[in-house]
Amino acid sequence: KQEVTQIPAALSVPEGENLVLNCSFTDSAIYNLQWFRQDPGKGLTSLLLIQSSQREQTSGRLNASLDKSSGRSTLYIAASQPGDSATYLCAVLPSNQGGKLIFGQGTELSVKP
Amino acid sequence: GAVVSQHPSRVICKSGTSVKIECRSLDFQATTMFWYRQFPKKSLMLMATSNEGSKATYEQGVEKDKFLINHASLTLSTLTVTSAHPEDSSFYICSARPRDGYQETQYFGPGTRLLVL
């Protein structure tokens, strides 16, 4: 059974700092891995999607990597800003599971001005 | 494009009543919609997969008679929480997979906050 774990559960950093969020999954048979942002009481915003054949994806200050063989992904946020404060969720799409996403518990990020 | 809406965004009801939550794909047809539940500071847990024109597939531990799902058209799925109790209070989020899209593509709704008193 696929399990997704995110570390740390919460993170507080000063503005301007570079940071890394971690995601690990137990079964490497995945189609892709996706990082989402969730603001309090809101839905999900897709940030980056990495196909199983890819190693990384970049969007602005965000860079996500994928090492499928070791079951790990990282989300790197450069020059963090207070507006980056949110919960970041990692989700994998297992192969042959009918499109069911498996989510991690999320990392709650707080960027202090 | 690819917008998914949920209605209502927030609902408060008395214990014992039933609540219906709608999930609509506004600019595409969705053969499959997914319903998730999220407790405070917790991850999203898949409740069920809703397929247009057929019965929903429920995840283990989810009571199908408690959480009724109807996917009557290619743009609408509804989740009805029957005889709601305070422990059903949660954030419910749906996602929709386009009819002509790849299996990997899902678009998420903004969520519905349910509070049962």
Side-chain angles (χ1 to χ4, degrees):
Chain A
K1 179 183 177 183
Q2 178 74 270
E3 292 184 2
V4 181
T5 304
Q6 290 186 247
I7 296 174
L11 181 64
S12 181
V13 300
E15 182 177 5
E17 194 163 294
N18 302 324
L19 57 99
V20 174
L21 307 182
N22 297 291
C23 173
S24 62
F25 48 97
T26 56
D27 189 340
S28 62
I30 63 171
Y31 269 122
N32 61 49
L33 183 144
Q34 200 162 355
W35 283 92
F36 294 89
R37 170 183 172 141
Q38 184 177 32
D39 292 292
K42 303 293 184 181
L44 303 181
T45 300
S46 179
L47 297 174
L48 290 165
L49 184 150
I50 313 176
Q51 302 290 355
S52 61
S53 59
Q54 297 176 323
R55 300 283 291 183
E56 66 177 347
Q57 282 287 331
T58 298
S59 175
R61 294 183 293 109
L62 305 179
N63 176 278
S65 69
L66 174 63
D67 184 342
K68 198 174 72 164
S69 61
S70 67
R72 297 185 180 189
S73 175
T74 62
L75 178 66
Y76 175 82
I77 302 178
S80 58
Q81 303 170 359
D84 295 329
S85 299
T87 295
Y88 291 81
L89 292 160
C90 162
V92 299
L93 181 63
S95 303
N96 302 319
Q97 288 292 313
K100 300 178 189 178
L101 286 171
I102 308 296
F103 284 85
Q105 312 94 309
T107 293
E108 187 174 358
L109 173 65
S110 175
V111 181
K112 304 295 185 183
Chain B
V3 176
V4 176
S5 70
Q6 282 185 239
H7 178 79
S9 59
R10 180 186 297 263
V11 56
I12 301 173
C13 69
K14 293 181 179 180
S15 184
T17 60
S18 294
V19 175
K20 180 184 286 187
I21 301 171
E22 294 184 347
C23 177
R24 292 183 184 271
S25 55
L26 298 184
D27 50 3
F28 64 95
Q29 293 182 327
T31 50
T32 303
M33 291 184 174
F34 302 92
W35 286 96
Y36 297 85
R37 182 175 182 176
Q38 186 179 34
F39 292 103
K41 297 188 181 297
K42 298 292 185 183
S43 184
L44 277 74
M45 299 299 297
L46 180 65
M47 299 174 64
T49 302
S50 170
N51 294 298
E52 188 268 338
S54 64
K55 292 184 178 180
T57 304
Y58 291 82
E59 295 300 301
Q60 190 174 9
V62 178
E63 300 177 57
K64 61 180 181 180
D65 295 329
K66 172 75 172 176
F67 299 100
L68 299 178
I69 292 174
N70 186 338
H71 194 155
S73 76
L74 287 171
T75 59
L76 173 65
S77 176
T78 60
L79 168 68
T80 301
V81 183
T82 63
S83 187
H85 291 283
E87 58 265 30
D88 298 324
S89 298
S90 191
F91 193 55
Y92 293 87
I93 302 178
C94 73
S95 70
R97 189 165 73 197
R99 178 182 189 180
D100 299 322
Y102 293 105
Q103 182 181 14
E104 64 191 50
T105 307
Q106 287 183 38
Y107 300 98
F108 284 82
T112 296
R113 173 78 59 194
L114 171 63
L115 177 61
V116 184
L117 302 176

